[in-house]
Amino acid sequence: MSEKVKFTIDGKEYEGEKGRLLVDVAAENGVYIPVLCHWKDVKPAGSCRICTVKVNDRYMTACTTPIDANMTVENKTPELEDIRKAIVEMLFVEGNHFCPACEKSGDCDLQALGYLYQMMVPRFPYAFERRELDAKSPKIFLEKNRCIFCKRCIRMIKDDKGRSFFAFKGRGKHLEITIDEKLAANISEELAQEAMKICPVGAILRKEVGFSTPIGQRKYDKVPIGSDIEVLQK
Amino acid sequence: MKEKIISIIETYGKTPERLMDILISVQEEFRCVSEEAVSLIASELGISEADVNQTKTFYHFFTTNPVGKYSVYLNNSAVSGMMGVAEVADEFEKQAGINFGQTSPDGLISLHYTPCIGMNDQEPAALINSLVFTELNREKVRKIVADMRDGKTVESMVDEYGDGNNAHPLLKAMVKNNIRKPGPVCLGEYEVGKGINKAMSMEPKAVIEEVKSSNLRGRGGAGFPAGLKWQFCAQEKGDRYVLCNADEGEPGTFKDRVLLTERAPMVFEGMIIAGWALDAKEGIIYLRYEYRYMLEFLNSVLDDLRNKNLLGKNILGKGFDFDIRIQLGAGAYVCGEESALVESAEGKRGEPRNRPPFPVQKGYLDKPSIINNVETFCSAVKIVENGGKWYKEMGTEESTGTKLLSISGDCKKPGVYEVEWGMTIKEMLDMVEAKTTQAVQVAGPSGTCVPPSQFDRQIAIEDLNTGGSMIVIGEDRDLIKDVVLNFMEFFEDESCGSCITCRSFNMILRKQVQRVVDGKAIKPDLDNMLEWGKIMQNTSRCGLGQTAANPIATTITNFRDLYELRVKDVEFQSDFDLEKAIAESCEAVGRPPHVHE
């Protein structure tokens, strides 16, 4: 197999296969680096920036950095934790997130990170952008107010011919997530369910089914995000 | 419409990789890319409509609704503002009877704003149906709109031509070169083919070594050693590609415009030499749509090179095949970032890629590729001709050779200057006859705003690095409003939006500068802006986000007093406006708002 290399995270030594992504190797070793856009074994987007770490004193995203020998990684430092908190705050002021009314509450990675970083009041001014809700597809609500542009759906949800159901529209502050109306008319139950599952927030929701898991019994209702990884720490 | 679009798609081999060309042709043919067109393109290419729209909506020269028979894209960048674009815009609106962002009801005229079109030395300037109109004023606008109403062709509205090749039958542009100071490398003596002949008498490896020995560094602004880039690419396996970055989008730079006009064969020659050095078969020059007016001319230069057996099959009878195609952009500053350029050349939205892998490993079509600036390729030609040692004798220790500066703004002699690296700002200001200078914006919005106290600094990669843009800002300009705010609006519009920090911070920071200009900011806002800018710099994926806070950071650092004059000296203020908040309900009950301070 591939070459094994040793590297450190926050002073502690770890081992992994050279060339694999830092975020994955860290997770397997019980080190939690927060992610919003990353999905294991899918081509990294590097778009949410929340996995920003310092590698040999340079800022890098852990989801796009292959591990190599002699890498010195900083992860849980006050500076980096503050950057991550700032990113969470930024996502909250950029979109319109009303957790109590959201079907993903308790299963939402963004909300869970808000709790993890003990976000109280965002330091940035709210944008209050008006965004649309797209309900044209028979099986999916696209709640654009909540989209954080992680590109998981764009990268992962495709039809049997490899065509994307989801795509971006516009650029910069006008960026929007869109769903292809024609393709979405025939999206399968499984794929619609999968799309909702991979969405880290409540931007992609299934129509007609909801709240099948009651509030209180959801993924992050009892334990903070990342605890499933941290239990692996040796 | 259907037949025409299908024939366009077939011209480009019916492949999604040529989606940009397809969209450009459709836009030019029908003045828009309608929803029906998108639907047809998607089904012909076997991709989803959402994917076609994803590319289409990224570039600002693509429109869903038809632009006017005459579409006016007026540059509203900072220097255009200094040169009086507001009056020009006002006159266009008056004459056309519509506002910017609108199309006249008869479909005759549409007015749009666009960022820097590479004409900063002859502003205010506009693109009308992709032809350039420079040094506009009220009188000229009146004539232009009258000509439109008379149904004149845009070509016939250009009544005088600029100097040099601007008067070439395939260019016929009113653009002036404004070459104020030719130097020994790019704008010196040049003989077509000499460089290629020399290079092909050498081993490819030796060519790379020669370029390395010159210590030539990339001229786009990042300054990566060109020879090293070529070497890294040559080490990779697979078909290699040579890409030329002619997406000169940094506001204030226009030197590539001049090189493409006067030294087009030299640019291509540089690419061919790189092709020889890397054993590549194909080169692509990515030309920004703002330079669309040069397309036919540049294609004729390529034909000329083919006729001379310097391009195409079996070059100089040595069994070396290499050809070049021109890829047009469609309006997106970020495509000047090399990996975004590659994405765009592949028909996608111009979103920068994550690194690693680097383009030398996986570039165009995931094949090893080099992407160099127009000026870098020109320099490489002379380096091969005269040797790296000759080149290295010019410039400074770390910045060898010459640099083309595009100088504009408040000075008597705006234009292109080829100077040795190492010139001080003061020397530069004397050269362009600038008086009463408040600041010099070095390297465009993404660079540094230099105050008079630092005018003894050097223009060099080790001190004040620049891709060429130098904007002289006179004493009577409102630095924050006319320059910083304009730059931040630019970045906000041009961020690809894919990485969160660049997308959000540019919006947040632009609003903060607006607050300063409106007199609504408070003292802590200044330090917040610096701190937030720092986060954007450290966490953004590409150079755009990493440098977009520079206009704010460098002016707050160097011109803090200008800010302090405009901010309230309080620690906290509520942004909640009670009167505004209750205005609607007051109106509903028919009672005026009654708010006490």
Side-chain angles (χ1 to χ4, degrees):
Chain A
M1 264 313 276
S2 275
E3 188 190 342
K4 293 265 186 197
V5 289
K6 286 191 168 126
F7 64 102
T8 68
I9 302 177
D10 293 334
K12 210 172 151 190
E13 194 174 82
Y14 297 94
E15 197 183 63
E17 223 173 88
K18 182 179 170 167
R20 286 193 61 218
L21 296 173
L22 173 58
V23 70
D24 294 333
V25 179
E28 285 155 25
N29 282 286
V31 177
Y32 175 62
I33 302 173
V35 295
L36 283 168
C37 67
H38 181 67
W39 194 272
K40 203 176 161 189
D41 300 329
V42 174
K43 191 180 174 191
S47 60
C48 79
R49 318 308 288 173
I50 199 142
C51 68
T52 296
V53 291
K54 267 180 155 176
V55 178
N56 300 339
D57 220 30
R58 286 188 61 185
Y59 296 93
M60 310 277 272
T61 40
C63 75
T64 62
T65 305
I67 61 161
D68 206 342
N70 302 320
M71 267 181 16
T72 306
V73 181
E74 288 170 53
N75 174 36
K76 228 175 169 174
T77 65
E79 188 215 354
L80 290 169
E81 294 282 274
D82 184 61
I83 285 177
R84 292 165 185 169
K85 188 178 180 183
I87 289 172
V88 172
E89 291 173 9
M90 200 183 302
L91 288 167
F92 270 96
V93 301
E94 178 197 59
N96 299 306
H97 301 272
F98 302 103
C99 298
C102 179
E103 145 72 316
K104 273 302 243 330
S105 181
D107 279 332
C108 169
D109 292 355
L110 179 65
Q111 181 194 40
L113 285 170
Y115 283 122
L116 184 76
Y117 293 114
Q118 301 183 10
M119 182 187 91
M120 303 302 281
V121 178
R123 69 194 82 171
F124 312 111
Y126 278 94
F128 298 123
E129 293 288 329
R130 276 190 103 93
R131 296 199 197 152
E132 303 275 306
L133 186 147
D134 181 349
K136 286 196 288 289
S137 151
K139 294 197 178 72
I140 286 172
F141 282 118
L142 199 56
E143 175 41 300
K144 299 186 183 183
N145 284 295
R146 300 171 188 162
C147 179
I148 58 166
F149 310 100
C150 68
K151 289 177 89 172
R152 280 186 187 171
C153 57
I154 296 179
R155 288 175 289 157
M156 295 166 71
I157 308 298
K158 307 209 171 193
D159 74 355
D160 46 12
K161 288 182 186 144
R163 292 177 297 186
S164 309
F165 286 93
F166 296 90
F168 276 160
K169 191 179 158 193
R171 72 178 184 220
K173 65 174 172 175
H174 301 299
L175 194 64
E176 264 181 61
I177 186 72
T178 59
I179 185 162
D180 190 282
E181 228 181 295
K182 284 186 190 154
L183 293 191
N186 300 313
I187 194 169
S188 69
E189 285 294 328
E190 298 73 35
L191 216 48
Q193 193 57 42
E194 176 74 1
M196 177 168 170
K197 193 186 105 189
I198 59 157
C199 179
V201 288
I204 300 173
L205 300 172
R206 284 281 287 112
K207 278 185 177 174
E208 291 170 356
V209 285
F211 294 94
S212 46
T213 311
I215 300 278
Q217 293 172 29
R218 296 179 167 203
K219 210 167 153 193
Y220 306 122
D221 282 344
K222 296 207 169 69
V223 288
I225 189 167
S227 19
D228 53 331
I229 288 171
E230 283 175 343
V231 295
L232 303 172
Q233 179 89 40
K234 285 154 204 148
Chain B
M1 183 183 95
K2 196 175 166 189
E3 276 164 25
K4 179 72 199 169
I5 293 179
I6 289 179
S7 103
I8 288 171
I9 295 168
E10 274 162 6
T11 309
Y12 294 110
K14 223 175 164 177
T15 154
E17 281 145 25
R18 300 300 293 275
L19 182 56
M20 283 293 281
D21 302 278
I22 294 167
L23 291 171
I24 290 166
S25 296
V26 171
Q27 175 75 38
E28 289 185 348
E29 181 73 29
F30 301 100
R31 288 188 267 143
C32 69
V33 184
S34 64
E35 283 170 24
E36 295 98 298
V38 167
S39 178
L40 189 55
I41 294 167
S43 71
E44 287 292 307
L45 296 181
I47 58 179
S48 68
E49 288 179 19
D51 269 344
V52 177
N53 274 318
Q54 179 162 260
T55 296
K56 180 191 125 180
T57 56
F58 188 81
Y59 301 91
H60 66 251
F61 288 117
F62 295 139
T63 60
T64 302
N65 296 316
V67 295
K69 187 172 167 232
Y70 300 96
S71 62
V72 178
Y73 281 86
L74 180 65
N75 170 23
N76 64 349
S77 72
V79 170
S80 187
M82 294 178 189
M83 300 303 144
V85 76
E87 291 215 343
V88 171
D90 179 64
E91 197 62 39
F92 265 120
E93 291 189 334
K94 262 191 207 149
Q95 295 303 323
I98 48 168
N99 294 329
F100 272 79
Q102 294 179 333
T103 305
S104 62
D106 58 0
L108 188 70
I109 306 170
S110 63
L111 301 177
H112 321 257
Y113 282 120
T114 195
C116 190
I117 59 172
M119 301 289 156
N120 252 13
D121 51 338
Q122 40 210 308
E123 290 293 344
L127 300 170
I128 303 178
N129 295 5
S130 76
L131 292 193
V132 187
F133 289 76
T134 60
E135 293 173 335
L136 295 170
N137 53 35
R138 285 193 187 268
E139 198 192 321
K140 284 192 186 176
V141 171
R142 281 195 288 271
K143 178 153 190 318
I144 287 169
V145 178
D147 285 350
M148 290 173 175
R149 299 218 185 276
D150 288 346
K152 276 197 175 182
T153 63
V154 206
E155 289 78 12
S156 68
M157 286 157 60
V158 180
D159 41 17
E160 50 181 329
Y161 306 140
D163 54 331
N165 279 336
N166 287 301
H168 187 283
L170 289 172
L171 266 176
K172 288 187 182 168
M174 67 166 71
V175 180
K176 290 176 189 153
N177 282 328
N178 284 331
I179 300 171
R180 306 277 184 179
K181 186 175 163 36
V185 182
C186 295
L187 294 172
E189 276 181 28
Y190 167 68
E191 193 188 312
V192 182
K194 208 172 153 192
I196 297 177
N197 270 291
K198 176 84 184 290
M200 289 181 64
S201 71
M202 296 159 72
E203 284 295 311
K205 263 190 181 163
V207 174
I208 295 177
E209 284 309 314
E210 196 66 64
V211 176
K212 267 174 76 181
S213 77
S214 71
N215 204 13
L216 168 67
R217 291 170 68 169
R219 293 294 190 250
F224 190 83
L228 213 52
K229 193 184 257 187
W230 294 18
Q231 184 190 323
F232 288 153
C233 187
Q235 286 164 355
E236 297 288 327
K237 289 197 177 68
D239 301 333
R240 301 184 195 91
Y241 288 89
V242 173
L243 276 74
C244 175
N245 186 345
D247 192 50
E248 181 172 47
E250 189 71 40
T253 170
F254 44 85
K255 47 104 187 166
D256 293 345
R257 174 198 87 208
V258 173
L259 286 177
L260 291 166
T261 307
E262 297 302 328
R263 288 290 180 273
M266 194 182 190
V267 180
F268 297 138
E269 200 169 327
M271 293 175 70
I272 297 161
I273 291 171
W276 170 255
L278 297 173
D279 190 24
K281 297 272 168 293
E282 198 181 333
I284 299 169
I285 175 164
Y286 187 95
L287 185 71
R288 69 189 307 228
Y289 194 79
E290 288 79 350
Y291 296 163
R292 166 73 174 82
Y293 74 98
M294 294 191 214
L295 183 66
E296 281 75 26
F297 168 71
L298 292 173
N299 271 320
S300 79
V301 174
L302 287 173
D303 279 339
D304 215 35
L305 291 170
R306 285 185 196 108
N307 292 337
K308 291 191 169 105
N309 192 222
L310 296 169
L311 184 69
K313 294 267 177 230
N314 193 20
I315 295 172
L316 296 178
K318 293 199 174 182
F320 168 50
D321 299 343
F322 184 80
D323 216 325
I324 295 174
R325 76 169 170 95
I326 302 175
Q327 172 69 60
L328 276 177
Y333 165 70
V334 73
C335 290
E337 197 278 345
E338 58 175 13
S339 65
L341 182 149
V342 169
E343 287 281 300
S344 182
E346 290 178 0
K348 294 182 252 178
R349 68 195 297 273
E351 197 179 297
R353 292 179 178 173
N354 295 298
R355 295 175 177 81
F358 292 89
V360 288
Q361 304 163 297
K362 282 187 172 187
Y364 182 66
L365 304 178
D366 277 348
K367 297 286 176 16
S369 309
I370 58 152
I371 301 111
N372 280 127
N373 181 266
V374 170
E375 189 184 344
T376 312
F377 280 121
C378 285
S379 305
V381 173
K382 282 284 159 180
I383 289 165
V384 168
E385 272 181 33
N386 299 337
K389 194 166 164 281
W390 164 81
Y391 188 81
K392 234 175 141 173
E393 277 162 14
M394 295 174 281
T396 69
E397 182 76 26
E398 279 181 57
S399 322
T400 56
T402 63
K403 178 77 192 96
L404 293 187
L405 300 179
S406 317
I407 309 177
S408 65
D410 296 312
C411 62
K412 212 169 152 191
K413 292 181 172 168
V416 173
Y417 294 77
E418 182 174 353
V419 301
E420 285 189 35
W421 286 104
M423 177 180 262
T424 65
I425 297 289
K426 186 172 178 316
E427 286 164 347
M428 184 197 91
L429 290 170
D430 291 343
M431 181 174 76
V432 301
E433 294 177 28
K435 294 193 179 76
T436 61
T437 304
Q438 175 181 196
V440 177
Q441 183 70 31
V442 176
S446 65
T448 309
C449 190
V450 180
S453 61
Q454 296 177 23
F455 283 176
D456 55 351
R457 288 177 67 183
Q458 276 189 317
I459 301 163
I461 295 168
E462 57 268 42
D463 189 2
L464 288 169
N465 187 16
T466 179
S469 171
M470 304 298 243
I471 300 172
V472 182
I473 302 160
E475 215 171 43
D476 49 354
R477 302 292 175 193
D478 182 339
L479 189 67
I480 302 175
K481 182 166 171 270
D482 298 344
V483 180
V484 180
L485 183 59
N486 182 288
F487 288 172
M488 292 316 294
E489 286 167 347
F490 169 73
F491 284 130
E492 186 186 28
D493 286 342
E494 296 296 335
S495 164
C496 86
S498 169
C499 90
I500 155 123
T501 42
C502 178
R503 179 180 72 240
S504 283
F505 269 132
N506 275 311
M507 179 177 66
I508 290 168
L509 289 171
R510 192 268 305 157
K511 283 184 182 170
Q512 294 291 311
V513 179
Q514 186 71 56
R515 267 159 67 93
V516 174
V517 169
D518 294 344
K520 288 180 180 158
I522 57 171
K523 240 181 171 176
D525 284 337
L526 299 184
D527 288 332
N528 280 342
M529 281 155 79
L530 286 175
E531 198 178 305
W532 301 349
K534 195 102 203 151
I535 302 179
M536 172 158 72
Q537 181 190 345
N538 290 338
T539 56
S540 294
R541 172 165 55 194
C542 82
L544 195 158
Q546 287 161 8
T547 58
N550 283 353
I552 294 176
T554 62
T555 52
I556 294 185
T557 308
N558 296 326
F559 299 90
R560 199 176 175 106
D561 49 335
L562 292 181
Y563 282 86
E564 283 178 347
L565 281 171
R566 284 177 126 136
V567 300
K568 294 182 209 161
D569 192 8
V570 293
E571 285 301 304
F572 177 79
Q573 77 178 358
S574 173
D575 287 335
F576 181 65
D577 184 345
L578 183 60
E579 200 161 332
K580 200 172 154 198
I582 61 171
E584 200 183 330
S585 55
C586 283
E587 203 185 302
V589 296
R591 204 169 54 195
H594 232 45
V595 182
H596 299 288
E597 283 280 319

